[in-house]
Structure formats: C-alpha cells, structure tokens
Amino acid sequence: MWIRSTMAYRASFVVTVFGNLLVTGLDFVAILLMFSQVESLGGWSLPEVAFLYGLSATAFGIADLTFGSMDVLGGRMRDGSFDTLLVRPVPVLAQVAADHFALRRLGRITQGVLVLGWALPAVDVDWTAAKVLLVPVMLVCGGVIFCAVFVAGAAFQFLAQDAAEVQNAFTYGGTTLLQYPPTVFGKDFLRGVTFVLPLAFVNWVPASYVLERPYPLGLPPWAAFASPLVAAVCCALAGLAWRAGLRSYRSTGS
C-alpha cells in the first residue's frame, strides 16, 4: 500500500529520493572539508575513510529501508492503534517494519554505494580473493546487525513507550560514528561498540583486515571474519527482546 501510494506521484518520488541522497551526502561533504585541512584523520587517508563511510552508509541504508519504520511503534502504542496489528494474521514485527514504508530511503543506499564505488579502486590495497569476498559479506552482515539494533530499539519501546529518539541515537548515531576511523575514539568507547553493542563488526574490524590496519583493541586476526556470527547472535538476542516486549504489552483500552 505504501509503495503504491508513493509511486502514484512518481515525479515527487524522484525528487524525494534525490533530496534524501543530497541530505545524507552532506555527511561525506563534512569529511571532505576535514581533509581539505589535514592529510589524514587518525592516521587514515581519505580513500580509507571513504571505504569505511561507504560500507557503513550502504549497510545502514539497507536496514533503514527495511526496518527504519520501527520508531513509529511508540506512537502506535500511545494512541491505541497498535492493538489492530495484533489481530491481523500477519507477524506483528513484519507489520511494524512495513508501516509507513518509505522508498525515498533508497537515496541513502545510492549515496553509500557511490562513495564505496569511488573508494574501492582508490584505496591502496593488494586485493586477494578473501578481501574481495569480504566486502559483500560486510554489507550484508552490517545490514543485519543494524536491523537487529532497530528491532531491539523497538522492543525497548514496549517498556518506555516514548523512546524513538533513544532508538535513533543507537541506529543513526551508530552509522555516523562508523564513518570515522576507530583510532579517533577512546579505548573505553571502542570496548563498548565492540563487546556491548558490536557495531565495530559492521566495518571497523573486517575493514582493518582488508586495509591491513591494526585491529581495534588488538583483536585476533580471525575476528575479521566473525561478522556473520556476530550478526546471527544479534538477531537472536533482538528476537528474544522483541518477543519479551510483545508479551509484556498491555493495551491502552481505548
């Protein structure tokens, strides 16, 4: 329904996608402005930072397109319309993810792919089969990890009921921090995004293998290939949190 309504005004759809591409592209413009004043950022060159940026933006764009509507959950619970989702013969999680589905978010994916497409031939890397195969694995696993964060944030809203901004801090904030090298952050922060909320496995850890950089926190070499396992664990934990939140839901009675 949301796709049909969007495509009813195709010129407006094209304009909104292009506008979304430009707005999200300002993040990379800010990085370009930084490199107009310095030669490296935390010891990382512009192509290497662009590589991190393209991976993070594309993976997050995939998650934002599919699960980016989860922040409407709190509003639906407060106005009582969430109850209508419970009586339909479709999984509630799928209904919430499809609620207000916005194709304009394709602009973020397009922008991330463009930056990644520029960075891949620009980085000084001795490409091997393992490194080439790791790039699509990073995109898929990164998207899955961000999807799990969206679902976990939605589950938290069953408890808080007005926590959309808290959820956005971990999703939109997460992709923003991953656009910069891990060397610009403190070790305590790196431990948090590696062992507590493992966003580091979206790009920092596997990209360190591709770019032949030291691993964050001195992780072992096999950690570069742990993203699929981390994504699976994140999905399992997010699923458990969602089921627990759904069981705890009490209708507004309206």
Side-chain angles (χ1 to χ4, degrees):
M1 178 184 70
W2 296 107
I3 296 176
R4 190 183 306 136
S5 64
T6 299
M7 298 308 293
Y9 303 96
R10 297 188 179 183
S12 175
F13 166 70
V14 173
V15 171
T16 54
V17 170
F18 188 68
N20 187 262
L21 187 153
L22 289 179
V23 171
T24 56
L26 291 177
D27 292 340
F28 190 66
V29 171
I31 292 174
L32 291 177
L33 290 175
M34 291 182 193
F35 274 94
S36 67
Q37 303 297 320
V38 297
E39 295 183 354
S40 65
L41 187 62
W44 293 53
S45 66
L46 175 58
E48 290 173 326
V49 174
F51 183 63
L52 292 180
Y53 181 95
L55 291 169
S56 173
T58 306
F60 180 77
I62 296 171
D64 191 38
L65 179 66
T66 52
F67 282 86
S69 300
M70 302 298 285
D71 56 358
V72 304
L73 182 63
R76 279 195 168 276
M77 285 191 290
R78 291 193 300 277
D79 64 19
S81 62
F82 182 69
D83 292 15
T84 61
L85 306 183
L86 300 176
V87 297
R88 293 174 182 168
V90 179
V92 178
L93 180 60
Q95 294 183 66
V96 176
D99 199 6
H100 292 83
F101 183 79
L103 272 180
R104 68 176 183 279
R105 292 168 180 155
L106 285 171
R108 182 185 293 274
I109 300 176
T110 304
Q111 185 255 344
V113 169
L114 289 175
V115 175
L116 182 61
W118 175 79
L120 284 174
V123 290
D124 184 16
V125 172
D126 183 16
W127 289 101
T128 63
K131 291 179 179 178
V132 171
L133 291 175
L134 196 55
V135 173
V137 170
M138 280 189 278
L139 294 176
V140 173
C141 294
V144 172
I145 291 173
F146 275 122
C147 286
V149 176
F150 271 114
V151 174
F156 178 68
Q157 294 195 54
F158 283 108
L159 177 66
Q161 298 192 354
D162 189 16
E165 295 306 321
V166 175
Q167 176 181 325
N168 292 339
F170 288 97
T171 51
Y172 291 92
T175 187
T176 299
L177 74 90
L178 292 178
Q179 294 167 2
Y180 295 90
T183 49
V184 303
F185 299 101
K187 286 191 175 180
D188 289 338
F189 185 80
L190 290 178
R191 292 189 184 96
V193 295
T194 302
F195 301 115
V196 180
L197 185 64
L199 295 176
F201 290 90
V202 172
N203 61 356
W204 281 349
V205 179
S208 296
Y209 170 78
V210 174
L211 301 175
E212 299 177 359
R213 287 276 181 177
Y215 289 20
L217 302 173
L219 292 173
W222 57 262
F225 304 95
S227 294
L229 176 62
V230 173
V233 172
C234 288
C235 284
L237 294 176
L240 291 174
W242 172 261
R243 290 175 66 86
L246 198 58
R247 288 197 192 97
S248 68
Y249 173 70
R250 296 293 181 269
S251 173
T252 59
S254 59

